[in-house]
Amino acid sequence: MSLQDQLLKAGLIDNKKANEIKKIKHKQAKQKQKNKGGAADQAKLAAQQSQAEKVERDRQLNQQRKAEAERKAVAAQVRQLVEMNRQPRDDGDMPYSFTDGTLVKRIHVTQAQLKQLSNGRLCIINMDSQYELIPTLVAEKIQQRDESTRILSNQSTETPDEDDPYADYQVPDDLMW
């Protein structure tokens, strides 16, 4: 026997009041079920949103990894090209000065290498804080693969200035400074 039935039997409430309480309880139960379904929808929506965010983060991470792998592959190719094509400088007795950014650097080369450097057939590349001599064709291949690599060359791509008063005076290639 429910509490409501007991109160009716005791005469404390009447049928009208009992039916009213039943309706209120029924409405509350119905409202609870409705809210429960809405909470489930919200949870489902939140789960989908977090899944989409995770997929986006994974995609960005994969792109970063791929870019890093490509950068490492290019660096390995550049290193291999330099190691395969570098010119030996063991018996170099002539100093060759060049500018690396704002610094003036000096390496010792042979007479033949000095002539090739002056003619633009050899280039200088900075590899692991060491300067190496490589042929110009190899330097062009390296530049195509990695534009950020610093390659020093005597090939002039500048056009002479028409107003230059010293245009008639050519600087000798073998000038030592």
Side-chain angles (χ1 to χ4, degrees):
M1 214 169 160
S2 70
L3 179 63
Q4 188 176 10
D5 292 340
Q6 290 175 4
L7 290 173
L8 276 172
K9 200 175 206 184
L12 295 174
I13 60 169
D14 58 353
N15 278 339
K16 188 176 180 183
K17 186 75 169 170
N19 287 337
E20 192 176 308
I21 292 172
K22 254 187 194 177
K23 284 182 184 179
I24 291 173
K25 282 186 178 182
H26 182 67
K27 282 183 183 180
Q28 287 175 349
K30 214 174 191 184
Q31 188 69 24
K32 247 186 193 180
Q33 281 182 345
K34 188 176 182 182
N35 288 341
K36 196 175 189 180
D41 288 342
Q42 289 176 352
K44 188 185 228 184
L45 185 62
Q48 288 175 349
Q49 185 178 5
S50 66
Q51 180 68 20
E53 289 172 358
K54 183 180 182 286
V55 167
E56 180 64 23
R57 278 193 311 267
D58 290 346
R59 187 184 61 78
Q60 289 176 350
L61 185 61
N62 285 341
Q63 283 180 342
Q64 289 173 351
R65 287 180 183 162
K66 185 178 177 182
E68 182 68 20
E70 288 176 4
R71 188 188 60 77
K72 285 182 180 182
V74 167
Q77 289 175 358
V78 168
R79 179 173 304 286
Q80 184 180 15
L81 281 171
V82 170
E83 288 176 359
M84 287 176 53
N85 295 295
R86 68 179 173 199
Q87 303 293 313
R89 295 187 295 124
D90 299 334
D91 56 346
D93 57 348
M94 300 195 70
Y96 179 74
S97 299
F98 61 94
T99 57
D100 185 8
T102 58
L103 301 174
V104 175
K105 298 288 186 170
R106 178 176 289 168
I107 59 173
H108 291 279
V109 295
T110 63
Q111 181 68 31
Q113 289 172 339
L114 179 66
K115 188 173 183 179
Q116 288 178 337
L117 280 167
S118 298
N119 292 336
R121 287 190 225 126
L122 283 181
C123 296
I124 301 172
I125 186 168
N126 187 357
M127 192 67 133
D128 297 330
S129 303
Q130 196 173 18
Y131 294 99
E132 299 291 343
L133 298 174
I134 57 173
T136 304
L137 294 175
V138 175
E140 290 171 358
K141 288 180 184 178
I142 290 172
Q143 200 68 36
Q144 288 174 355
R145 285 178 173 76
D146 186 12
E147 295 175 0
S148 66
T149 304
R150 291 178 48 173
I151 298 175
L152 308 165
S153 175
N154 275 339
Q155 292 179 340
S156 177
T157 58
E158 299 175 4
T159 58
D161 190 11
E162 294 177 10
D163 298 336
D164 187 10
Y166 299 104
D168 295 334
Y169 305 102
Q170 295 296 321
V171 177
D173 288 336
D174 58 352
L175 178 66
M176 301 302 285
W177 43 287

